[in-house]
Amino acid sequence: MTASPYYVYLPPGVAWSLRGNGPEPARFHWIRKAYEPVAGMEVPPSLVTHESEIAPRAMPGAGGAWATTRFVSPEDVRHDMHVNIVTLQSGASIPFEETHVMEHGLFVLEGKAVYRLNRDWVEVEAGDFMWLRAFCPQACYAGGPGPFRYLLYKDVNRHAALAPFRSAR
């Protein structure tokens, strides 16, 4: 399942529709999330782009074998979440165990890999979905014959909401 994704951001309250004009059924990965506004900051406008319009950023120290395509600039703090495509060439790895403060989702677009989740290495391939909790130790090794690509989405630019603990009775 090789995918060449478009990215569409729709701000709250915008009217929209989707229509496929091609001979094949349209497929899309819908990430629906309530926007978290910030007082005094405008909501970002609608955005439609294609991954071919964005140069992937090579990750430091990976010799170009690990790159990230960022649909929205990390400097644009109006956005409360980011959607990126992470690409690892065959044989490449995320060479360290990492964690993130936020939960995040991964949807495999292409290829095969083993992904470290907590203490386990799990085989993943195109079409698989993972939801990682906050602070979940993770790493990756792309072991397939071609590139391993996944859609990564996570909350950014907002503090996690804090609320008093309420026991379930």
Side-chain angles (χ1 to χ4, degrees), residues 2 5-6 8 25 87 109:
T2 301
Y6 281 89
V8 178
T87 302
L109 298 168

Side-chain angles (χ1 to χ4, degrees), residues 6-11 35 43-51 53-55 57 68-85 151-154 156-158:
Y6 281 89
Y7 173 74
V8 178
Y9 168 75
L10 300 169
Y35 181 75
V43 174
S46 297
L47 169 68
V48 177
T49 189
H50 188 269
E51 72 169 314
E53 298 172 9
I54 302 161
R57 289 184 175 179
T68 302
T69 303
R70 296 183 171 140
F71 290 111
V72 172
S73 169
E75 290 80 32
D76 188 349
V77 296
R78 296 174 302 170
H79 288 271
D80 64 341
M81 73 175 295
H82 282 173
V83 179
N84 306 317
I85 295 176
L151 197 60
L152 165 67
Y153 43 95
K154 60 186 175 182
V156 295
N157 302 324
R158 307 293 188 268

Side-chain angles (χ1 to χ4, degrees), residues 7-142:
Y7 173 74
V8 178
Y9 168 75
L10 300 169
V14 69
W16 65 278
S17 64
L18 182 68
R19 185 173 125 185
N21 293 325
E24 299 295 322
R27 296 180 62 179
F28 65 98
H29 193 87
W30 185 5
I31 304 163
R32 188 172 181 213
K33 177 190 177 300
Y35 181 75
E36 296 177 45
V38 173
M41 189 178 302
E42 66 183 45
V43 174
S46 297
L47 169 68
V48 177
T49 189
H50 188 269
E51 72 169 314
S52 65
E53 298 172 9
I54 302 161
R57 289 184 175 179
M59 300 304 285
W66 172 23
T68 302
T69 303
R70 296 183 171 140
F71 290 111
V72 172
S73 169
E75 290 80 32
D76 188 349
V77 296
R78 296 174 302 170
H79 288 271
D80 64 341
M81 73 175 295
H82 282 173
V83 179
N84 306 317
I85 295 176
V86 177
T87 302
L88 289 103
Q89 299 303 319
S90 183
S93 66
I94 297 175
F96 49 83
E97 192 172 88
E98 63 176 344
T99 63
H100 299 278
V101 67
M102 75 294 285
E103 294 180 331
H104 52 293
L106 288 79
F107 179 77
V108 181
L109 298 168
E110 178 181 355
K112 293 182 178 185
V114 287
Y115 214 94
R116 180 168 180 147
L117 302 169
N118 291 319
R119 295 184 181 138
D120 300 319
W121 286 93
V122 179
E123 292 182 13
V124 294
E125 63 183 348
D128 287 345
F129 172 79
M130 296 174 272
W131 186 255
L132 285 64
R133 65 172 173 76
F135 303 108
C136 174
Q138 59 187 287
C140 180
Y141 171 75

